[in-house]
Amino acid sequence: MKSTDARRPRIRSSIATPSVPLTGDRTLIMGILNVTPDSFSDGGRWQKLDAALEHAAQLTAQGADLIDIGGESTRPGAERVSVAEEQRRVLPLVRELARGGIAVSVDTMNASTALAAAHAGASVINDVSGGLADADMTRVVIETGLPFVVMHWRGHSAEMAARARYANVVADVRRELEYRVAELIVRGVDPAKIIVDPGIGFSKNAEHNWALLGHYTDLASLGLPVLVAASRKGFLAPLVAEGAAPDARDAPSAVIAAIAASQGAWAVRVHDVAETRSALDVADAWRRGARS
């Protein structure tokens, strides 16, 4: 018997929603646009709507396939913000970008924000909790019919460091993602709309992050599109000059993106789109050379 949720009518945006492919032979670039005062890398830079729109246009021109808009920081130790404040930050930007034909993913753990963003024209719901933080998120995903990024998650920012304990991080993360995906499907989420994210940096230390990246194929064996989101994260700090700003991590971030693309990742979530685009172009040329 089908879930009652699965029989609910789809929510239609009043704005033409740009489509985002979930299959294909090209890794997509998800450009990060944080409209928060406290994000670890670029907090406060894009809080004004005009500045955010200009930056989104720049990311798109540099090769971003979609723009990931977040109104609440999820860095370690970050404080939660109210849903009303999150929506005040996010919705005008989603609406304007969608009107301009730019595909948008909304980075939120709040079901009401996801629903409002869908009405505003968002193309993807990107929930770092995979629907665990808000019990109503599953219903919103079903009703909107939007692709849903399910990240591996063990708790909110204030508590996630204490939960970075694994018997085998690759096996444990894969199993927990598999169980979460199965639960969503049983409740009525279309499996063809699910994307998984191993949650680099969330309840994981540097060793865990590298193990997950190094065993990408174990995660890909779930048979679902995979989002890799490692850009500028703290575990990359030892690879650059001591005390360097987070944007100094763009080069190693681009290398990770290129390797992820060579492994068949659906998308990479990055701050520096231009450098990532160059890295993915090199990876594409390398693959073409191997086939010639």
Side-chain angles (χ1 to χ4, degrees):
M1 180 180 294
K2 289 187 178 181
S3 162
T4 300
D5 283 346
R7 294 195 296 269
R8 293 178 183 268
R10 301 289 193 205
I11 299 297
R12 299 298 181 187
S13 167
S14 58
I15 297 170
T17 302
S19 62
V20 175
L22 297 188
T23 59
D25 58 2
R26 183 176 70 85
T27 295
L28 304 182
I29 296 177
M30 179 186 285
I32 298 169
L33 181 48
N34 292 315
V35 285
T36 64
D38 57 345
S39 291
F40 79 94
S41 174
D42 53 5
R45 294 186 66 185
W46 320 117
Q47 281 187 279
K48 293 185 177 180
L49 181 59
D50 287 347
L53 289 170
E54 183 177 349
H55 188 54
Q58 181 182 41
L59 295 177
T60 302
Q62 290 171 344
D65 296 286
L66 69 163
I67 306 298
D68 190 51
I69 300 173
E72 177 180 12
S73 175
T74 52
R75 64 177 173 77
E79 296 291 330
R80 300 298 309 276
V81 301
S82 70
V83 174
E85 175 61 17
E86 180 189 41
Q87 293 184 13
R88 185 194 68 77
R89 296 172 179 178
V90 165
L91 295 181
L93 184 55
V94 173
R95 189 174 297 110
E96 289 301 314
L97 293 180
R99 281 176 177 158
I102 295 176
V104 170
S105 60
V106 59
D107 179 358
T108 183
M109 291 181 280
N110 296 308
S112 61
T113 300
L115 182 60
H119 279 296
S123 301
V124 175
I125 298 170
N126 179 15
D127 182 353
V128 298
S129 80
L132 291 170
D134 186 335
D136 210 29
M137 184 66 84
T138 303
R139 178 187 61 81
V140 170
V141 171
I142 294 167
E143 291 186 359
T144 62
L146 292 181
F148 184 46
V149 179
V150 178
M151 197 191 82
H152 175 263
W153 188 78
R154 285 186 166 184
H156 289 289
S157 296
E159 60 201 46
M160 64 184 179
R163 300 189 178 188
R165 296 189 177 91
Y166 301 90
N168 178 305
V169 67
V170 177
D172 291 352
V173 168
R174 188 192 185 284
R175 183 180 62 255
E176 289 171 30
L177 275 173
E178 186 175 26
Y179 288 170
R180 182 61 188 144
V181 167
E183 182 179 8
L184 290 167
I185 292 171
V186 167
R187 293 187 61 188
V189 175
D190 182 354
K193 297 294 181 72
I194 296 175
I195 302 150
V196 294
D197 176 347
I200 300 298
F202 288 80
S203 296
K204 290 143 189 113
N205 61 29
E207 182 181 351
H208 297 147
N209 294 329
W210 287 118
L212 288 165
L213 292 171
H215 290 83
Y216 173 90
T217 53
D218 290 56
L219 302 170
S221 69
L222 289 169
L224 297 166
V226 179
L227 171 65
V228 175
S231 180
R232 294 185 182 176
K233 290 188 175 177
F235 78 108
L236 300 176
L239 302 178
V240 300
E242 185 175 356
D247 60 5
R249 304 167 195 168
D250 285 339
S253 299
V255 173
I256 289 173
I259 296 172
S262 73
Q263 297 289 299
W266 166 72
V268 289
R269 181 180 180 273
V270 301
H271 296 83
D272 189 332
V273 169
E275 188 158 359
T276 302
R277 181 71 272 160
S278 295
L280 296 196
D281 287 346
V282 170
D284 288 342
W286 189 299
R287 284 195 296 272
R288 289 196 300 272
R291 292 194 297 264
S292 64

